Amino acid sequence: KLKSSQGEIFEVDPEVACMSTLIKNMVDDSGTDEEIPLPNVKTAILSKVIDYCKYHKDNPPEEIQKPLKSTNLIECGVSEWDTDYVNLEQEVLFELILAANYLDIKSLLDLACAKVASMIKGKTPEEIRSKFNISNDFTPEEEAQVRQENRWCEDF
């Protein structure tokens, strides 16, 4: 039994729940009789995480090629199911990344981070700032200096 930060209880098969290293360690320490509180994971996100774990329990995900060779995740070896799974609003995607990190589910963390990387790939700093609503806190002089110091990486 997994308990979200909002108090909702999810009855989950131990095999599914133990795809999370955090939960596996808790189960190894105290068994499956007690509910496992997950204070850092909201109900909606925990439900998404459980969907991922149920799907991949008997169907391990492929390793994602890094660096991404395309902005299309399917072309990077990601399954259609996984690609659809991370086709989310940014806020939900970022919460999913935090949950996957907290729960220690490496394949889910890799997938969600690959989705963010695909959103950044090939974009200019200005486009990235716009997409993720990041304000530019550099003065024009600082920005010119950073561009000068990092000109070498524009060749890639």
Side-chain angles (χ1 to χ4, degrees), residues 26-126:
M26 290 173 153
V27 166
D28 289 348
D29 291 344
S30 54
T32 57
D33 296 336
E34 300 187 23
E35 63 188 37
I36 297 172
L38 300 170
N40 296 1
V41 188
K42 291 183 192 163
T43 299
I45 298 298
L46 183 54
S47 177
K48 287 258 339 145
V49 169
I50 292 168
D51 289 345
Y52 176 88
C53 292
K54 281 181 180 173
Y55 180 81
H56 283 296
K57 177 179 73 108
D58 299 316
N59 181 12
E62 293 289 320
E63 190 75 22
I64 299 170
Q65 300 164 1
K66 297 178 205 101
L68 297 183
K69 64 179 186 202
S70 167
T71 56
N72 179 338
L73 290 179
I74 290 175
E75 291 175 14
C76 301
V78 176
S79 73
E80 197 170 327
W81 190 93
D82 281 351
T83 301
D84 290 342
Y85 176 85
V86 288
N87 195 10
L88 302 165
E89 290 179 33
Q90 272 184 38
E91 187 181 335
V92 177
L93 182 60
F94 293 143
E95 285 187 44
L96 190 63
I97 288 171
L98 294 173
N101 187 48
Y102 170 68
L103 294 168
D104 199 355
I105 305 172
K106 185 183 183 310
S107 61
L108 177 55
L109 182 61
D110 286 351
L111 172 64
C113 288
K115 173 62 176 179
V116 173
S118 76
M119 295 160 76
I120 291 172
K121 187 171 178 61
K123 303 252 188 318
T124 65
E126 293 75 22

Side-chain angles (χ1 to χ4, degrees), residues 120-143:
I120 291 172
K121 187 171 178 61
K123 303 252 188 318
T124 65
E126 293 75 22
E127 290 170 325
I128 294 168
R129 280 194 204 103
S130 171
K131 178 128 185 101
F132 294 102
N133 202 14
I134 300 168
S135 58
N136 183 0
D137 55 358
F138 285 130
T139 66
E141 295 78 23
E142 289 171 327
E143 189 162 349

